[in-house]
Amino acid sequence: MAKATIADIAREAGVSVTTVSRFINGNFGKMRPETRQRIEQTVARLDYRPSASARRMRQQRTHVVGVIVGDISNVFSSLLFKGIYTQLQPAGYDVMLMNSNNSVDEERDEISRLLSQEVDGLIIQPDCKRFSAYSPIVSATIPLVMVDREPDDQPGDIAKVTVDNHGSCRALAGLLAEHGYENVVALSNIRSEISAQMPRLEGLRAGCDEHGMLMIPVEANGHDTQWLTQELRALTGRLAGRTALVSLMGPMLFDTLEALRELGLRFPEDVGVVSFDDWRWSQYVRQGIHLLEQDPQRMGQEAAANLLEQMNADADPYAFAKQTTLPVAEIPAPSI
Amino acid sequence: MAKATIADIAREAGVSVTTVSRFINGNFGKMRPETRQRIEQTVARLDYRPSASARRMRQQRTHVVGVIVGDISNVFSSLLFKGIYTQLQPAGYDVMLMNSNNSVDEERDEISRLLSQEVDGLIIQPDCKRFSAYSPIVSATIPLVMVDREPDDQPGDIAKVTVDNHGSCRALAGLLAEHGYENVVALSNIRSEISAQMPRLEGLRAGCDEHGMLMIPVEANGHDTQWLTQELRALTGRLAGRTALVSLMGPMLFDTLEALRELGLRFPEDVGVVSFDDWRWSQYVRQGIHLLEQDPQRMGQEAAANLLEQMNADADPYAFAKQTTLPVAEIPAPSI
DNA sequence: TTGTAGGCGTTATCAT
DNA sequence: ATGATAACGCCTACAA
C-alpha cells in the first residue's frame, strides 16, 4: 500500500480532509470528541504522517535551517553544531548540515543548494572574505547568522557570533611579558580566506609591540610537520631570551608538540607553550598546557537563539540581528 | 519582488513553462540554441532557483538523506558524518543531521521527523536494542544502513557497517598474554541500550578465558572520575601479577589517564594501557599509547556508498543491502 | 461543526 | 522544437 495521504484518512474516517487537516494541526476547537477519536484511530491504523513536502509547499515555511561549517572533523565545528541543534530541534526546526572544506567554491555551491531548499534560516562559518558572496541570502531576505569568522565588509545589520580573538591575544602578550618572555612565536595554520586566527595574530602583534617583545609569525599551511620541526629548531636555536610558542588553533598544537618532542625540547623549561583549544584535550599532556579556550557549543546556542528571533520576525528579520562577542577563557597551566 | 518561479521565467523569456523546465533539468536535446540562451539570461537576471519543495512534491524523491548519530560532540560521530557527506554531496543528496543524545526516546522522535520529511534514505547509529524501533522505516521501504552498533534482532537483509569489535579484542587479549600480563581491567562507559563496547567486552572476555587471564569489567557510566580513581586504586593495589587497563572507547581514555595521574601510576612500568581511539589524539601523551583504531570516516563512506546503491534500486532496496565488517587497526606503542 | 474547491511550483504526458 | 494541462498532498477561504 502506498503512503497514506490526508484524503485516505478522510475517506476511512468518514470525514472531510478539512477536518483531518484540523486534527493534524491540533485544531480541536470545533470538533466533536467522537470525530476526533475516529480520526485519531484511523491515523494510527494507517500510520499516517503528513507530508513535509506538501506542507512546505503550501505554507511559506520549510522549518528547515541550513548550517555550513568549515570542517566538520574539527572539534570546533561539531561542538558548534551541537549547540545549534540543541536550540533548534526543540523549536521544531530540522537542520541540514554542510561541510565547505574551507573552500570558497564549495561554499558557494552549498549556499545555492540551501537557497533552493528554501531553508527558513542559515548559520554559516564563512569562508569568503568578501561579503558579496553571501548577498544572495540577503537578497532573498533569509535570516542569517555568521559564526566564528568575519568577512571584511560585513554590514552592521547582519548577525554574528564571534569571540574576543584580538583582545584575548593582546592580553596574552601582556601575561607572557610578565613571565619574562622576550620572544613570541605565533603558530598559525590558515586554510581559508578568512580565519579567526587573523585577529589573533593582530592581537598578539599589538600586545607584543606594547611590551617590547619580538613577535614572529609562522604559518604552517601547506607544510608538513617535518618543516615545522626545522622551523622551530632554527628559531629556538637563534633567539636570545626566553621564547613562548603560541598555537593559534587547537589542531596546530598537535604538530607543535610533535615537533617539540622530536627536538627534545621541554616546556616550560626550554620554551613556553600556549594554545587555543576548543576541547581541553591537552590537559592530559604532561602537566597540562596554558589554554585560551572558546566555547563553540555556546557560540552555536547564541547563534541559533538569534536566528530563531529573526525567523519569528513578522517583517524585516535583520532588524533582530544581534552581534555578539563572547569572552575567551584563560585556563592556566604550568606550561609557561 | 517575491521569489521568481518557473512561470516568471517563462513569461519573461517568452516561452512556455515546459521549455523552462527542460532547461532547468539540462534537457537541451531538442531546443534551439537561441531559446536556450534567452532562458539562460532570464534565469540569471531574475536569480531564479527552482523550488526544492515543489520538485520533491512532484517527483517521488526528496534527494535528502537523514543521519542520526548518538553524540555529535564525540569525534567518532563527526568523522562518521564527514565520510557520509563526502559520498552523498557529489551524488546530489543533501543531508539532515540529527543527534539522539544516545536516547531511545529522542531517537524515536527523530525517526518520525525524518519520515515526515520523506527522506530518500537513512543512516543510523542505533540506540535501541530492539529492531522493532526501526520497523516504521522498513514498512515505508526506505533505504537504511545501520552503523557502528547493532540491534539484537536486526534482520539479515538490513544493511550495516560495523568493525570487528569482538575479534580485535579477543586478539588483544592474546597479545597482552604474550606480554606477560595476568589481569585485564576492561574500562567501559556505556550510555545507550546498545554499544560497540558490548562485543568488545565479550571479545576480551573470550580471549582472557583462552589465556587464563583474569578479566575484570569496570563500567564507569554514572560515576565521576573520582570514583574511577578509587576503583583503580583498589584494583591495582589488590591484584597479584601484572595488570593491563583496556579503555573500550576513546573518551574513556581521558578519564583513565586522569586517574592514573592522580594515583601516580606510570605506564607501562606500573600498569599497561591500551585504548580504542578514533582519532589518534593520544599519540601525544608521553610516548604514546597502544591503540585499537577504527576509521569512522571510512565507515561513513561505506555506509553512504551502500545507501546510494539502495536508493538507486528500481524495486526492493533491501535486495542491495550489504553487511560490512571493517577491520580494527592495531597501532603499537610502548604503553604495554 | 463540517465540507468544497483552488492553488502553492514543478514535472510528465500528451499534443502540435 | 515547443506548449497546454493535469496531477503531487496539503491548507484555507468560503459555503453550508
Side-chain angles (χ1 to χ4, degrees), chain B residues 6 21 48 51 55 58:
Chain B
I6 200 172
S21 178
Y48 166 73
S51 153
R55 301 183 98 154
R58 179 55 230 242

mmCIF file with all atom_site columns, all heavy atoms in Angstrom, chain B residues 6 21 48 51 55 58, chain C residues 9-15:
data_model
loop_
_atom_site.group_PDB
_atom_site.id
_atom_site.type_symbol
_atom_site.label_atom_id
_atom_site.label_alt_id
_atom_site.label_comp_id
_atom_site.label_asym_id
_atom_site.label_entity_id
_atom_site.label_seq_id
_atom_site.pdbx_PDB_ins_code
_atom_site.Cartn_x
_atom_site.Cartn_y
_atom_site.Cartn_z
_atom_site.occupancy
_atom_site.B_iso_or_equiv
_atom_site.pdbx_formal_charge
_atom_site.auth_seq_id
_atom_site.auth_comp_id
_atom_site.auth_asym_id
_atom_site.auth_atom_id
_atom_site.pdbx_PDB_model_num
ATOM 1   N N     . ILE B 1 6  ? 9.041  29.423 -12.005 1.00 0.00 ? 6  ILE B N     1
ATOM 2   C CA    . ILE B 1 6  ? 9.275  28.970 -13.368 1.00 0.00 ? 6  ILE B CA    1
ATOM 3   C C     . ILE B 1 6  ? 8.346  29.711 -14.335 1.00 0.00 ? 6  ILE B C     1
ATOM 4   O O     . ILE B 1 6  ? 8.690  29.949 -15.496 1.00 0.00 ? 6  ILE B O     1
ATOM 5   C CB    . ILE B 1 6  ? 9.053  27.442 -13.440 1.00 0.00 ? 6  ILE B CB    1
ATOM 6   C CG1   . ILE B 1 6  ? 9.735  26.869 -14.675 1.00 0.00 ? 6  ILE B CG1   1
ATOM 7   C CG2   . ILE B 1 6  ? 7.585  27.087 -13.401 1.00 0.00 ? 6  ILE B CG2   1
ATOM 8   C CD1   . ILE B 1 6  ? 9.722  25.353 -14.706 1.00 0.00 ? 6  ILE B CD1   1
ATOM 9   N N     . SER B 1 21 ? 11.316 24.297 -17.854 1.00 0.00 ? 21 SER B N     1
ATOM 10  C CA    . SER B 1 21 ? 11.569 23.108 -17.054 1.00 0.00 ? 21 SER B CA    1
ATOM 11  C C     . SER B 1 21 ? 12.632 22.233 -17.710 1.00 0.00 ? 21 SER B C     1
ATOM 12  O O     . SER B 1 21 ? 13.532 21.733 -17.044 1.00 0.00 ? 21 SER B O     1
ATOM 13  C CB    . SER B 1 21 ? 10.275 22.309 -16.864 1.00 0.00 ? 21 SER B CB    1
ATOM 14  O OG    . SER B 1 21 ? 10.526 21.140 -16.131 1.00 0.00 ? 21 SER B OG    1
ATOM 15  N N     . TYR B 1 48 ? 16.858 33.178 -10.570 1.00 0.00 ? 48 TYR B N     1
ATOM 16  C CA    . TYR B 1 48 ? 15.869 32.130 -10.325 1.00 0.00 ? 48 TYR B CA    1
ATOM 17  C C     . TYR B 1 48 ? 16.523 30.847 -9.805  1.00 0.00 ? 48 TYR B C     1
ATOM 18  O O     . TYR B 1 48 ? 17.558 30.415 -10.286 1.00 0.00 ? 48 TYR B O     1
ATOM 19  C CB    . TYR B 1 48 ? 15.115 31.820 -11.621 1.00 0.00 ? 48 TYR B CB    1
ATOM 20  C CG    . TYR B 1 48 ? 14.327 30.536 -11.554 1.00 0.00 ? 48 TYR B CG    1
ATOM 21  C CD1   . TYR B 1 48 ? 13.163 30.465 -10.799 1.00 0.00 ? 48 TYR B CD1   1
ATOM 22  C CD2   . TYR B 1 48 ? 14.767 29.401 -12.223 1.00 0.00 ? 48 TYR B CD2   1
ATOM 23  C CE1   . TYR B 1 48 ? 12.452 29.287 -10.722 1.00 0.00 ? 48 TYR B CE1   1
ATOM 24  C CE2   . TYR B 1 48 ? 14.060 28.217 -12.151 1.00 0.00 ? 48 TYR B CE2   1
ATOM 25  C CZ    . TYR B 1 48 ? 12.905 28.164 -11.395 1.00 0.00 ? 48 TYR B CZ    1
ATOM 26  O OH    . TYR B 1 48 ? 12.209 26.999 -11.308 1.00 0.00 ? 48 TYR B OH    1
ATOM 27  N N     . SER B 1 51 ? 12.348 25.600 -6.946  1.00 0.00 ? 51 SER B N     1
ATOM 28  C CA    . SER B 1 51 ? 11.921 25.296 -5.586  1.00 0.00 ? 51 SER B CA    1
ATOM 29  C C     . SER B 1 51 ? 12.017 23.808 -5.300  1.00 0.00 ? 51 SER B C     1
ATOM 30  O O     . SER B 1 51 ? 11.331 22.990 -5.915  1.00 0.00 ? 51 SER B O     1
ATOM 31  C CB    . SER B 1 51 ? 10.477 25.761 -5.402  1.00 0.00 ? 51 SER B CB    1
ATOM 32  O OG    . SER B 1 51 ? 9.847  24.985 -4.407  1.00 0.00 ? 51 SER B OG    1
ATOM 33  N N     . ARG B 1 55 ? 9.627  20.491 -6.373  1.00 0.00 ? 55 ARG B N     1
ATOM 34  C CA    . ARG B 1 55 ? 10.197 19.338 -7.071  1.00 0.00 ? 55 ARG B CA    1
ATOM 35  C C     . ARG B 1 55 ? 9.932  18.047 -6.314  1.00 0.00 ? 55 ARG B C     1
ATOM 36  O O     . ARG B 1 55 ? 9.501  17.050 -6.875  1.00 0.00 ? 55 ARG B O     1
ATOM 37  C CB    . ARG B 1 55 ? 11.708 19.506 -7.214  1.00 0.00 ? 55 ARG B CB    1
ATOM 38  C CG    . ARG B 1 55 ? 12.104 20.719 -7.963  1.00 0.00 ? 55 ARG B CG    1
ATOM 39  C CD    . ARG B 1 55 ? 13.599 20.764 -8.106  1.00 0.00 ? 55 ARG B CD    1
ATOM 40  N NE    . ARG B 1 55 ? 13.971 20.258 -9.424  1.00 0.00 ? 55 ARG B NE    1
ATOM 41  C CZ    . ARG B 1 55 ? 15.086 20.614 -10.039 1.00 0.00 ? 55 ARG B CZ    1
ATOM 42  N NH1   . ARG B 1 55 ? 15.931 21.408 -9.442  1.00 0.00 ? 55 ARG B NH1   1
ATOM 43  N NH2   . ARG B 1 55 ? 15.349 20.147 -11.224 1.00 0.00 ? 55 ARG B NH2   1
ATOM 44  N N     . ARG B 1 58 ? 6.406  16.990 -6.630  1.00 0.00 ? 58 ARG B N     1
ATOM 45  C CA    . ARG B 1 58 ? 6.025  16.466 -7.932  1.00 0.00 ? 58 ARG B CA    1
ATOM 46  C C     . ARG B 1 58 ? 6.693  15.099 -8.196  1.00 0.00 ? 58 ARG B C     1
ATOM 47  O O     . ARG B 1 58 ? 6.050  14.136 -8.567  1.00 0.00 ? 58 ARG B O     1
ATOM 48  C CB    . ARG B 1 58 ? 6.449  17.483 -8.990  1.00 0.00 ? 58 ARG B CB    1
ATOM 49  C CG    . ARG B 1 58 ? 6.148  17.105 -10.415 1.00 0.00 ? 58 ARG B CG    1
ATOM 50  C CD    . ARG B 1 58 ? 4.694  16.789 -10.553 1.00 0.00 ? 58 ARG B CD    1
ATOM 51  N NE    . ARG B 1 58 ? 4.535  15.535 -11.220 1.00 0.00 ? 58 ARG B NE    1
ATOM 52  C CZ    . ARG B 1 58 ? 3.935  15.380 -12.379 1.00 0.00 ? 58 ARG B CZ    1
ATOM 53  N NH1   . ARG B 1 58 ? 3.380  16.401 -12.979 1.00 0.00 ? 58 ARG B NH1   1
ATOM 54  N NH2   . ARG B 1 58 ? 3.843  14.211 -12.923 1.00 0.00 ? 58 ARG B NH2   1
ATOM 55  P P     . DG  C 2 9  ? 4.440  29.853 -6.026  1.00 0.00 ? 9  DG  C P     1
ATOM 56  O OP1   . DG  C 2 9  ? 5.404  30.788 -5.450  1.00 0.00 ? 9  DG  C OP1   1
ATOM 57  O OP2   . DG  C 2 9  ? 3.462  30.326 -7.014  1.00 0.00 ? 9  DG  C OP2   1
ATOM 58  O "O5'" . DG  C 2 9  ? 5.239  28.640 -6.690  1.00 0.00 ? 9  DG  C "O5'" 1
ATOM 59  C "C5'" . DG  C 2 9  ? 6.330  28.077 -5.989  1.00 0.00 ? 9  DG  C "C5'" 1
ATOM 60  C "C4'" . DG  C 2 9  ? 6.842  26.873 -6.738  1.00 0.00 ? 9  DG  C "C4'" 1
ATOM 61  O "O4'" . DG  C 2 9  ? 5.776  25.915 -6.875  1.00 0.00 ? 9  DG  C "O4'" 1
ATOM 62  C "C3'" . DG  C 2 9  ? 7.329  27.173 -8.157  1.00 0.00 ? 9  DG  C "C3'" 1
ATOM 63  O "O3'" . DG  C 2 9  ? 8.571  26.519 -8.318  1.00 0.00 ? 9  DG  C "O3'" 1
ATOM 64  C "C2'" . DG  C 2 9  ? 6.234  26.588 -9.047  1.00 0.00 ? 9  DG  C "C2'" 1
ATOM 65  C "C1'" . DG  C 2 9  ? 5.722  25.437 -8.193  1.00 0.00 ? 9  DG  C "C1'" 1
ATOM 66  N N9    . DG  C 2 9  ? 4.344  25.065 -8.426  1.00 0.00 ? 9  DG  C N9    1
ATOM 67  C C8    . DG  C 2 9  ? 3.299  25.885 -8.757  1.00 0.00 ? 9  DG  C C8    1
ATOM 68  N N7    . DG  C 2 9  ? 2.161  25.255 -8.888  1.00 0.00 ? 9  DG  C N7    1
ATOM 69  C C5    . DG  C 2 9  ? 2.469  23.924 -8.619  1.00 0.00 ? 9  DG  C C5    1
ATOM 70  C C6    . DG  C 2 9  ? 1.644  22.772 -8.597  1.00 0.00 ? 9  DG  C C6    1
ATOM 71  O O6    . DG  C 2 9  ? 0.432  22.703 -8.815  1.00 0.00 ? 9  DG  C O6    1
ATOM 72  N N1    . DG  C 2 9  ? 2.376  21.629 -8.263  1.00 0.00 ? 9  DG  C N1    1
ATOM 73  C C2    . DG  C 2 9  ? 3.715  21.606 -7.997  1.00 0.00 ? 9  DG  C C2    1
ATOM 74  N N2    . DG  C 2 9  ? 4.229  20.426 -7.698  1.00 0.00 ? 9  DG  C N2    1
ATOM 75  N N3    . DG  C 2 9  ? 4.498  22.675 -8.017  1.00 0.00 ? 9  DG  C N3    1
ATOM 76  C C4    . DG  C 2 9  ? 3.813  23.786 -8.328  1.00 0.00 ? 9  DG  C C4    1
ATOM 77  P P     . DT  C 2 10 ? 9.381  26.573 -9.698  1.00 0.00 ? 10 DT  C P     1
ATOM 78  O OP1   . DT  C 2 10 ? 10.799 26.809 -9.359  1.00 0.00 ? 10 DT  C OP1   1
ATOM 79  O OP2   . DT  C 2 10 ? 8.704  27.444 -10.672 1.00 0.00 ? 10 DT  C OP2   1
ATOM 80  O "O5'" . DT  C 2 10 ? 9.207  25.074 -10.186 1.00 0.00 ? 10 DT  C "O5'" 1
ATOM 81  C "C5'" . DT  C 2 10 ? 9.688  24.038 -9.356  1.00 0.00 ? 10 DT  C "C5'" 1
ATOM 82  C "C4'" . DT  C 2 10 ? 9.080  22.704 -9.739  1.00 0.00 ? 10 DT  C "C4'" 1
ATOM 83  O "O4'" . DT  C 2 10 ? 7.638  22.819 -9.746  1.00 0.00 ? 10 DT  C "O4'" 1
ATOM 84  C "C3'" . DT  C 2 10 ? 9.434  22.215 -11.135 1.00 0.00 ? 10 DT  C "C3'" 1
ATOM 85  O "O3'" . DT  C 2 10 ? 10.508 21.274 -10.996 1.00 0.00 ? 10 DT  C "O3'" 1
ATOM 86  C "C2'" . DT  C 2 10 ? 8.173  21.527 -11.638 1.00 0.00 ? 10 DT  C "C2'" 1
ATOM 87  C "C1'" . DT  C 2 10 ? 7.134  21.783 -10.553 1.00 0.00 ? 10 DT  C "C1'" 1
ATOM 88  N N1    . DT  C 2 10 ? 5.815  22.244 -11.064 1.00 0.00 ? 10 DT  C N1    1
ATOM 89  C C2    . DT  C 2 10 ? 4.799  21.323 -11.205 1.00 0.00 ? 10 DT  C C2    1
ATOM 90  O O2    . DT  C 2 10 ? 4.921  20.139 -10.960 1.00 0.00 ? 10 DT  C O2    1
ATOM 91  N N3    . DT  C 2 10 ? 3.616  21.847 -11.660 1.00 0.00 ? 10 DT  C N3    1
ATOM 92  C C4    . DT  C 2 10 ? 3.366  23.170 -11.974 1.00 0.00 ? 10 DT  C C4    1
ATOM 93  O O4    . DT  C 2 10 ? 2.259  23.517 -12.375 1.00 0.00 ? 10 DT  C O4    1
ATOM 94  C C5    . DT  C 2 10 ? 4.468  24.069 -11.804 1.00 0.00 ? 10 DT  C C5    1
ATOM 95  C C7    . DT  C 2 10 ? 4.295  25.522 -12.121 1.00 0.00 ? 10 DT  C C7    1
ATOM 96  C C6    . DT  C 2 10 ? 5.639  23.577 -11.364 1.00 0.00 ? 10 DT  C C6    1
ATOM 97  P P     . DT  C 2 11 ? 11.167 20.705 -12.352 1.00 0.00 ? 11 DT  C P     1
ATOM 98  O OP1   . DT  C 2 11 ? 12.460 20.144 -11.924 1.00 0.00 ? 11 DT  C OP1   1
ATOM 99  O OP2   . DT  C 2 11 ? 11.103 21.713 -13.424 1.00 0.00 ? 11 DT  C OP2   1
ATOM 100 O "O5'" . DT  C 2 11 ? 10.187 19.516 -12.746 1.00 0.00 ? 11 DT  C "O5'" 1
ATOM 101 C "C5'" . DT  C 2 11 ? 10.096 18.396 -11.881 1.00 0.00 ? 11 DT  C "C5'" 1
ATOM 102 C "C4'" . DT  C 2 11 ? 9.078  17.419 -12.447 1.00 0.00 ? 11 DT  C "C4'" 1
ATOM 103 O "O4'" . DT  C 2 11 ? 7.811  18.090 -12.625 1.00 0.00 ? 11 DT  C "O4'" 1
ATOM 104 C "C3'" . DT  C 2 11 ? 9.438  16.820 -13.796 1.00 0.00 ? 11 DT  C "C3'" 1
ATOM 105 O "O3'" . DT  C 2 11 ? 9.067  15.451 -13.728 1.00 0.00 ? 11 DT  C "O3'" 1
ATOM 106 C "C2'" . DT  C 2 11 ? 8.557  17.589 -14.769 1.00 0.00 ? 11 DT  C "C2'" 1
ATOM 107 C "C1'" . DT  C 2 11 ? 7.321  17.812 -13.915 1.00 0.00 ? 11 DT  C "C1'" 1
ATOM 108 N N1    . DT  C 2 11 ? 6.439  18.955 -14.265 1.00 0.00 ? 11 DT  C N1    1
ATOM 109 C C2    . DT  C 2 11 ? 5.079  18.754 -14.333 1.00 0.00 ? 11 DT  C C2    1
ATOM 110 O O2    . DT  C 2 11 ? 4.558  17.665 -14.133 1.00 0.00 ? 11 DT  C O2    1
ATOM 111 N N3    . DT  C 2 11 ? 4.338  19.878 -14.645 1.00 0.00 ? 11 DT  C N3    1
ATOM 112 C C4    . DT  C 2 11 ? 4.822  21.154 -14.871 1.00 0.00 ? 11 DT  C C4    1
ATOM 113 O O4    . DT  C 2 11 ? 4.068  22.078 -15.123 1.00 0.00 ? 11 DT  C O4    1
ATOM 114 C C5    . DT  C 2 11 ? 6.259  21.287 -14.787 1.00 0.00 ? 11 DT  C C5    1
ATOM 115 C C7    . DT  C 2 11 ? 6.884  22.627 -15.007 1.00 0.00 ? 11 DT  C C7    1
ATOM 116 C C6    . DT  C 2 11 ? 6.994  20.202 -14.492 1.00 0.00 ? 11 DT  C C6    1
ATOM 117 P P     . DA  C 2 12 ? 9.632  14.402 -14.781 1.00 0.00 ? 12 DA  C P     1
ATOM 118 O OP1   . DA  C 2 12 ? 10.343 13.395 -14.006 1.00 0.00 ? 12 DA  C OP1   1
ATOM 119 O OP2   . DA  C 2 12 ? 10.330 15.131 -15.880 1.00 0.00 ? 12 DA  C OP2   1
ATOM 120 O "O5'" . DA  C 2 12 ? 8.305  13.748 -15.380 1.00 0.00 ? 12 DA  C "O5'" 1
ATOM 121 C "C5'" . DA  C 2 12 ? 7.281  13.328 -14.496 1.00 0.00 ? 12 DA  C "C5'" 1
ATOM 122 C "C4'" . DA  C 2 12 ? 6.049  12.945 -15.282 1.00 0.00 ? 12 DA  C "C4'" 1
ATOM 123 O "O4'" . DA  C 2 12 ? 5.322  14.153 -15.625 1.00 0.00 ? 12 DA  C "O4'" 1
ATOM 124 C "C3'" . DA  C 2 12 ? 6.329  12.243 -16.607 1.00 0.00 ? 12 DA  C "C3'" 1
ATOM 125 O "O3'" . DA  C 2 12 ? 5.323  11.266 -16.827 1.00 0.00 ? 12 DA  C "O3'" 1
ATOM 126 C "C2'" . DA  C 2 12 ? 6.291  13.366 -17.631 1.00 0.00 ? 12 DA  C "C2'" 1
ATOM 127 C "C1'" . DA  C 2 12 ? 5.252  14.300 -17.029 1.00 0.00 ? 12 DA  C "C1'" 1
ATOM 128 N N9    . DA  C 2 12 ? 5.496  15.715 -17.319 1.00 0.00 ? 12 DA  C N9    1
ATOM 129 C C8    . DA  C 2 12 ? 6.703  16.352 -17.377 1.00 0.00 ? 12 DA  C C8    1
ATOM 130 N N7    . DA  C 2 12 ? 6.613  17.634 -17.643 1.00 0.00 ? 12 DA  C N7    1
ATOM 131 C C5    . DA  C 2 12 ? 5.248  17.859 -17.760 1.00 0.00 ? 12 DA  C C5    1
ATOM 132 C C6    . DA  C 2 12 ? 4.487  19.011 -18.027 1.00 0.00 ? 12 DA  C C6    1
ATOM 133 N N6    . DA  C 2 12 ? 5.037  20.203 -18.234 1.00 0.00 ? 12 DA  C N6    1
ATOM 134 N N1    . DA  C 2 12 ? 3.146  18.883 -18.066 1.00 0.00 ? 12 DA  C N1    1
ATOM 135 C C2    . DA  C 2 12 ? 2.605  17.684 -17.837 1.00 0.00 ? 12 DA  C C2    1
ATOM 136 N N3    . DA  C 2 12 ? 3.217  16.518 -17.575 1.00 0.00 ? 12 DA  C N3    1
ATOM 137 C C4    . DA  C 2 12 ? 4.548  16.678 -17.556 1.00 0.00 ? 12 DA  C C4    1
ATOM 138 P P     . DT  C 2 13 ? 5.464  10.307 -18.104 1.00 0.00 ? 13 DT  C P     1
ATOM 139 O OP1   . DT  C 2 13 ? 5.521  8.962  -17.517 1.00 0.00 ? 13 DT  C OP1   1
ATOM 140 O OP2   . DT  C 2 13 ? 6.537  10.776 -19.025 1.00 0.00 ? 13 DT  C OP2   1
ATOM 141 O "O5'" . DT  C 2 13 ? 4.067  10.501 -18.859 1.00 0.00 ? 13 DT  C "O5'" 1
ATOM 142 C "C5'" . DT  C 2 13 ? 2.912  10.891 -18.115 1.00 0.00 ? 13 DT  C "C5'" 1
ATOM 143 C "C4'" . DT  C 2 13 ? 1.887  11.479 -19.064 1.00 0.00 ? 13 DT  C "C4'" 1
ATOM 144 O "O4'" . DT  C 2 13 ? 2.113  12.905 -19.200 1.00 0.00 ? 13 DT  C "O4'" 1
ATOM 145 C "C3'" . DT  C 2 13 ? 1.942  10.902 -20.484 1.00 0.00 ? 13 DT  C "C3'" 1
ATOM 146 O "O3'" . DT  C 2 13 ? 0.615  10.594 -20.897 1.00 0.00 ? 13 DT  C "O3'" 1
ATOM 147 C "C2'" . DT  C 2 13 ? 2.550  12.023 -21.325 1.00 0.00 ? 13 DT  C "C2'" 1
ATOM 148 C "C1'" . DT  C 2 13 ? 2.064  13.257 -20.564 1.00 0.00 ? 13 DT  C "C1'" 1
ATOM 149 N N1    . DT  C 2 13 ? 2.895  14.483 -20.728 1.00 0.00 ? 13 DT  C N1    1
ATOM 150 C C2    . DT  C 2 13 ? 2.271  15.699 -20.914 1.00 0.00 ? 13 DT  C C2    1
ATOM 151 O O2    . DT  C 2 13 ? 1.066  15.824 -20.963 1.00 0.00 ? 13 DT  C O2    1
ATOM 152 N N3    . DT  C 2 13 ? 3.129  16.764 -21.053 1.00 0.00 ? 13 DT  C N3    1
ATOM 153 C C4    . DT  C 2 13 ? 4.522  16.729 -21.021 1.00 0.00 ? 13 DT  C C4    1
ATOM 154 O O4    . DT  C 2 13 ? 5.170  17.748 -21.149 1.00 0.00 ? 13 DT  C O4    1
ATOM 155 C C5    . DT  C 2 13 ? 5.107  15.426 -20.821 1.00 0.00 ? 13 DT  C C5    1
ATOM 156 C C7    . DT  C 2 13 ? 6.590  15.291 -20.773 1.00 0.00 ? 13 DT  C C7    1
ATOM 157 C C6    . DT  C 2 13 ? 4.277  14.364 -20.683 1.00 0.00 ? 13 DT  C C6    1
ATOM 158 P P     . DC  C 2 14 ? 0.406  9.591  -22.161 1.00 0.00 ? 14 DC  C P     1
ATOM 159 O OP1   . DC  C 2 14 ? -0.567 8.580  -21.720 1.00 0.00 ? 14 DC  C OP1   1
ATOM 160 O OP2   . DC  C 2 14 ? 1.713  9.186  -22.729 1.00 0.00 ? 14 DC  C OP2   1
ATOM 161 O "O5'" . DC  C 2 14 ? -0.297 10.577 -23.198 1.00 0.00 ? 14 DC  C "O5'" 1
ATOM 162 C "C5'" . DC  C 2 14 ? -1.283 11.486 -22.722 1.00 0.00 ? 14 DC  C "C5'" 1
ATOM 163 C "C4'" . DC  C 2 14 ? -1.271 12.746 -23.546 1.00 0.00 ? 14 DC  C "C4'" 1
ATOM 164 O "O4'" . DC  C 2 14 ? -0.077 13.508 -23.299 1.00 0.00 ? 14 DC  C "O4'" 1
ATOM 165 C "C3'" . DC  C 2 14 ? -1.327 12.523 -25.056 1.00 0.00 ? 14 DC  C "C3'" 1
ATOM 166 O "O3'" . DC  C 2 14 ? -2.543 13.041 -25.537 1.00 0.00 ? 14 DC  C "O3'" 1
ATOM 167 C "C2'" . DC  C 2 14 ? -0.110 13.267 -25.596 1.00 0.00 ? 14 DC  C "C2'" 1
ATOM 168 C "C1'" . DC  C 2 14 ? 0.186  14.245 -24.463 1.00 0.00 ? 14 DC  C "C1'" 1
ATOM 169 N N1    . DC  C 2 14 ? 1.588  14.734 -24.402 1.00 0.00 ? 14 DC  C N1    1
ATOM 170 C C2    . DC  C 2 14 ? 1.844  16.110 -24.394 1.00 0.00 ? 14 DC  C C2    1
ATOM 171 O O2    . DC  C 2 14 ? 0.879  16.898 -24.439 1.00 0.00 ? 14 DC  C O2    1
ATOM 172 N N3    . DC  C 2 14 ? 3.123  16.546 -24.344 1.00 0.00 ? 14 DC  C N3    1
ATOM 173 C C4    . DC  C 2 14 ? 4.132  15.667 -24.291 1.00 0.00 ? 14 DC  C C4    1
ATOM 174 N N4    . DC  C 2 14 ? 5.368  16.149 -24.230 1.00 0.00 ? 14 DC  C N4    1
ATOM 175 C C5    . DC  C 2 14 ? 3.893  14.257 -24.296 1.00 0.00 ? 14 DC  C C5    1
ATOM 176 C C6    . DC  C 2 14 ? 2.625  13.837 -24.348 1.00 0.00 ? 14 DC  C C6    1
ATOM 177 P P     . DA  C 2 15 ? -2.915 12.717 -27.031 1.00 0.00 ? 15 DA  C P     1
ATOM 178 O OP1   . DA  C 2 15 ? -4.287 13.291 -27.178 1.00 0.00 ? 15 DA  C OP1   1
ATOM 179 O OP2   . DA  C 2 15 ? -2.646 11.320 -27.419 1.00 0.00 ? 15 DA  C OP2   1
ATOM 180 O "O5'" . DA  C 2 15 ? -1.894 13.646 -27.807 1.00 0.00 ? 15 DA  C "O5'" 1
ATOM 181 C "C5'" . DA  C 2 15 ? -2.404 14.461 -28.788 1.00 0.00 ? 15 DA  C "C5'" 1
ATOM 182 C "C4'" . DA  C 2 15 ? -2.404 15.919 -28.391 1.00 0.00 ? 15 DA  C "C4'" 1
ATOM 183 O "O4'" . DA  C 2 15 ? -1.272 16.198 -27.546 1.00 0.00 ? 15 DA  C "O4'" 1
ATOM 184 C "C3'" . DA  C 2 15 ? -2.278 16.811 -29.623 1.00 0.00 ? 15 DA  C "C3'" 1
ATOM 185 O "O3'" . DA  C 2 15 ? -3.235 17.842 -29.598 1.00 0.00 ? 15 DA  C "O3'" 1
ATOM 186 C "C2'" . DA  C 2 15 ? -0.849 17.334 -29.590 1.00 0.00 ? 15 DA  C "C2'" 1
ATOM 187 C "C1'" . DA  C 2 15 ? -0.464 17.215 -28.120 1.00 0.00 ? 15 DA  C "C1'" 1
ATOM 188 N N9    . DA  C 2 15 ? 0.936  16.800 -28.015 1.00 0.00 ? 15 DA  C N9    1
ATOM 189 C C8    . DA  C 2 15 ? 1.419  15.510 -27.938 1.00 0.00 ? 15 DA  C C8    1
ATOM 190 N N7    . DA  C 2 15 ? 2.731  15.452 -27.837 1.00 0.00 ? 15 DA  C N7    1
ATOM 191 C C5    . DA  C 2 15 ? 3.125  16.790 -27.864 1.00 0.00 ? 15 DA  C C5    1
ATOM 192 C C6    . DA  C 2 15 ? 4.377  17.404 -27.795 1.00 0.00 ? 15 DA  C C6    1
ATOM 193 N N6    . DA  C 2 15 ? 5.521  16.716 -27.688 1.00 0.00 ? 15 DA  C N6    1
ATOM 194 N N1    . DA  C 2 15 ? 4.407  18.756 -27.850 1.00 0.00 ? 15 DA  C N1    1
ATOM 195 C C2    . DA  C 2 15 ? 3.268  19.432 -27.962 1.00 0.00 ? 15 DA  C C2    1
ATOM 196 N N3    . DA  C 2 15 ? 2.021  18.972 -28.012 1.00 0.00 ? 15 DA  C N3    1
ATOM 197 C C4    . DA  C 2 15 ? 2.033  17.626 -27.964 1.00 0.00 ? 15 DA  C C4    1
#
